[in-house]
Amino acid sequence: MSTEINLDKLYDDSVKILTDLIGFRTISGEDNSALINYCEDYLHKIGATSFKTYDEEKKRVNLFATIKAKKTNGTKPIILSGHTDTVPVSKSWSTDPFKATIKGDKLYGRGSCDMKGFIACTLAFAPIYAETNLNRDIHFSFTFDEETACLGAPILIEELKKRNIKDGICIIGEPTKMKIIDAHKGCYEYTTYFEGLAGHSSAPHKGVSAVEFATRYANKLIELREDLKKRAPKDSIFDPPFSTLQVGGIFGGIAHNVIADKCHINWETRPVIKEDGIFLNEQIDKYANEVLLPEMKKVFENSKITKKIIGEVTGFDRVKKSEACELVSSLTGDNSREVVSFGTEAGLFQEIGISTVVCGPGSIEQAHKVDEFIELNELKKCINFLNGIKSKSISN
Ligand SMILES: [Zn+2]
């Protein structure tokens, strides 16, 4: 039994679904449950099973759905993965950012390329997988809050570990114009808070200036940045080849003549290898706890230094032999491998042993911008790609 697949119809479906998805306002940090329910209902109707995981307030949701193999023969499952959140919008859009608008060969709307376009294609194709004699499970992984600091995915990954879904191939459909991305740096963001003792500026020895201690902390970070340069791996594939560090802001103090009791520093590092992140944290924590804090406490026992992790987006490492990359190459005919400067959820899947690749429709050039769009042809390319996955997933 073989039925011809009407790819044009699937493409039309993907446009319709994308239009629906853009209509859900799912800016990072906001409730995305309406969109998730839409996807879950859709997938349930075609026979998929699913589970959801949540943030602490149960406001934001990850969905993981599965179309089961008809006959398993040990072929690794495929995870089609996308984040459901988008970056915020500004007032300067020429169309309503939450209403999909087609002009010429482009579809405009927030999230059109980053990355509801990919999600729409996978949903449009899902009914075909459901009626195929699959030799492997096809999973759909839709997460929340990727854009802020990959906050949703780790919660989902924990659940995958519990359910023993640790082996497989993951395709992260971030906009790459269907090119293969197989590595990116990590991105770790922190805020460090300093609490000292306020006082009159004429008697600095009686207070603990949070601003001054924060400044010394910032200087130490800048010093450590030089050490990171020296630690650059010889075969680094990144530009620059070493882990970077940046102090993004120092906030503290109320007046010229008042000793500041509070100050905080925003800083981030982009490690090329995990060990650099560990090294940096160890060094700066040691400096804070063994040098700065004892000095602060000498004057004021309740002084505090607290480092808060805003997000630690795991780096995505290039591996010599990647099943995920090979699968994509065999379908697109493209053997190139590129690195990117943006972070994704790829490292999180890779970390639990899932072979992962970043490859999806649309261009990162349009992501996060005013008048974000996806070229309609990219959706077609993605539908063809998903059809290729089907051809690699049929049991004989
Ligand atoms: Zn994205």
Side-chain angles (χ1 to χ4, degrees):
M1 184 195 77
S2 102
T3 40
E4 244 344 275
I5 298 177
N6 186 343
L7 291 176
D8 288 337
K9 183 193 170 287
L10 295 179
Y11 158 72
D12 288 342
D13 292 348
S14 75
V15 173
K16 268 182 227 142
I17 294 170
L18 179 54
T19 301
D20 290 343
L21 295 181
I22 288 171
F24 294 105
R25 192 190 150 97
T26 52
I27 292 168
S28 311
E30 294 180 6
D31 186 332
N32 71 332
S33 57
L35 181 146
I36 289 292
N37 291 341
Y38 169 97
C39 296
E40 191 179 38
D41 287 349
Y42 178 97
L43 288 164
H44 280 177
K45 271 187 199 130
I46 58 160
T49 56
S50 68
F51 66 84
K52 294 188 271 196
T53 47
Y54 303 86
D55 73 329
E56 278 168 15
E57 299 158 71
K58 289 220 157 197
K59 204 173 70 175
R60 294 164 298 170
V61 196
N62 296 311
L63 174 69
F64 194 85
T66 303
I67 297 175
K68 279 282 200 199
K70 297 274 193 312
K71 238 190 280 167
T72 36
N73 57 0
T75 313
K76 287 187 178 178
I78 290 179
I79 302 171
L80 301 169
S81 173
H83 62 80
T84 61
D85 61 314
T86 70
V87 293
V89 294
S90 70
K91 287 208 169 73
S92 28
W93 276 67
S94 33
T95 59
D96 179 347
F98 300 108
K99 193 164 174 284
T101 310
I102 295 176
K103 278 195 244 168
D105 55 1
K106 301 180 177 96
L107 186 151
Y108 291 81
R110 176 53 90 216
S112 52
C113 77
D114 188 10
M115 54 184 293
K116 292 178 173 177
F118 177 74
I119 295 177
C121 288
T122 63
L123 290 177
F125 209 90
I128 305 296
Y129 291 136
E131 64 198 30
T132 298
N133 207 12
L134 290 178
N135 63 1
R136 58 167 124 219
D137 293 351
I138 304 268
H139 301 293
F140 300 79
S141 165
F142 301 149
T143 57
F144 67 83
D145 283 16
E146 187 269 353
E147 295 290 2
T148 36
C150 289
L151 301 180
I155 300 168
L156 169 68
I157 300 270
E158 273 312 305
E159 189 61 28
L160 292 186
K161 281 200 271 184
K162 277 186 212 152
R163 290 171 187 251
N164 225 8
I165 305 173
K166 293 182 217 165
D167 197 16
I169 293 171
C170 179
I171 296 157
I172 311 258
E174 291 277 358
T176 69
K177 294 199 107 178
M178 301 310 290
K179 288 254 177 211
I180 292 176
I181 303 300
D182 71 341
H184 60 69
K185 292 183 184 182
C187 179
Y188 298 3
E189 292 182 346
Y190 305 93
T191 298
T192 308
Y193 296 88
F194 295 80
E195 285 180 54
L197 181 64
H200 196 283
S201 60
S202 61
H205 56 288
K206 290 185 184 162
V208 177
S209 168
V211 166
E212 290 180 14
F213 281 96
T215 308
R216 287 170 64 186
Y217 186 93
N219 277 331
K220 183 69 183 179
L221 285 173
I222 293 164
E223 228 175 78
L224 288 166
R225 174 158 75 191
E226 295 309 305
D227 293 339
L228 290 175
K229 284 184 191 165
K230 289 179 210 139
R231 291 169 57 93
K234 275 194 192 68
D235 52 353
S236 177
I237 51 176
F238 295 106
D239 176 27
F242 46 82
S243 301
T244 56
L245 183 150
Q246 202 262 142
V247 178
I250 305 183
F251 309 87
I254 52 165
H256 285 74
N257 59 355
V258 177
I259 298 168
D261 62 343
K262 285 194 175 63
C263 186
H264 68 270
I265 301 188
N266 294 340
W267 59 283
E268 62 123 59
T269 180
R270 301 197 172 220
V272 291
I273 47 168
K274 227 185 171 156
E275 290 73 20
D276 279 359
I278 296 167
F279 162 80
L280 182 62
N281 273 291
E282 275 174 3
Q283 293 295 313
I284 196 65
D285 291 350
K286 193 165 184 262
Y287 182 70
N289 295 325
E290 292 177 16
V291 179
L292 298 181
L293 198 55
E295 275 188 48
M296 293 168 83
K297 284 185 180 257
K298 246 190 251 170
V299 179
F300 180 55
E301 183 49 37
N302 291 334
S303 296
K304 270 188 208 139
I305 303 176
T306 325
K307 186 182 76 185
K308 186 177 165 207
I309 300 170
I310 304 301
E312 290 181 333
V313 178
T314 313
F316 177 33
D317 300 331
R318 174 167 288 175
V319 289
K320 283 219 172 67
K321 201 175 153 34
S322 159
E323 273 179 276
C325 292
E326 280 166 20
L327 173 74
V328 175
S329 284
S330 73
L331 296 175
T332 62
D334 177 10
N335 289 304
S336 64
R337 306 279 188 271
E338 289 170 34
V339 299
V340 284
S341 54
F342 57 91
T344 73
E345 295 170 344
L348 294 165
F349 285 95
Q350 185 178 52
E351 220 169 30
I352 60 165
I354 293 172
S355 180
T356 305
V357 60
V358 180
C359 174
S363 165
I364 197 70
E365 287 299 309
Q366 278 87 49
H368 301 200
K369 302 233 169 94
V370 166
D371 294 339
E372 176 181 346
F373 66 82
I374 188 164
E375 284 177 21
L376 293 168
N377 194 43
E378 289 288 313
L379 297 175
K380 283 188 186 149
K381 273 161 57 182
C382 189
I383 291 289
N384 281 328
F385 171 76
L386 294 169
N387 194 30
I389 286 183
K390 178 191 151 241
S391 68
K392 300 263 179 191
S393 311
I394 301 175
S395 61
N396 305 311

